[in-house]
Structure formats: C-alpha cells, structure tokens
C-alpha cells in the first residue's frame, strides 16, 4: 500500500489545489503500479506553519512564497 506525503507551506495552496495534488499523485502511482493500487494508494497533504521551515537561512511567509510564484 503506497503512502505519499506532500508537505506544503500553510496558506499557499487552497483546498482545490490540494485536491488536485492528491488526484495527480494518485494517478502517477497508478501509472507505475497499475490500476489495482488505486483503492490502496494514500496521499496526505501536510501543511507546515510559517516560521517552522526555511530556505537559504530565512523563513519566508506564505505571502512571500505566493509573490515568488507570481513573479
């Protein structure tokens, strides 16, 4: 039974986007393992709060990440 965890920054992705992640990762697992794995493939989206992760020694906010993605 595959278990896939996706960690994202809290407040960056909305519910629709997280549902799309789950759907697309599940489909990727099915491509590798076959259709029989659909019912037993678990995908979890976990949100990490601002200030509890960093990049390059800094701790950008969700708004900072959204701005980076838009620019």
């Amino acid at each position: 039974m595959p278990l896939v965890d996706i960690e994202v920054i809290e407040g960056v992705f909305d519910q629709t986007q997280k549902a799309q992640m789950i759907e697309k990762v599940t489909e990727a697992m099915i491509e590798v393992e076959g259709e029989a794995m659909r019912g037993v493939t678990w995908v979890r989206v976990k949100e990490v709060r601002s200030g509890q992760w960093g990049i390059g020694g800094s701790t950008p906010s969700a708004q900072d990440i959204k701005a980076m993605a838009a620019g």
Side-chain angles (χ1 to χ4, degrees):
M1 153 176 51
L3 171 61
V4 181
D5 284 333
I6 303 169
E7 293 195 33
V8 298
I9 302 155
E10 184 178 55
V12 174
F13 300 97
D14 63 28
Q15 289 301 113
T16 300
Q17 291 169 314
K18 289 184 271 187
Q20 288 175 343
M21 288 178 210
I22 292 168
E23 178 184 346
K24 290 181 183 223
V25 168
T26 299
E27 291 302 323
M29 292 302 297
I30 299 313
E31 285 183 36
V32 172
E33 295 290 333
E35 186 62 39
M37 296 303 286
R38 183 177 302 279
V40 295
T41 298
W42 294 55
V43 180
R44 301 184 298 188
V45 178
K46 299 178 176 186
E47 291 188 307
V48 179
R49 289 187 305 210
S50 185
Q52 294 189 352
W53 67 276
I55 184 169
S58 65
T59 55
S61 69
Q63 293 304 321
D64 294 332
I65 298 302
K66 287 180 178 181
M68 288 170 49

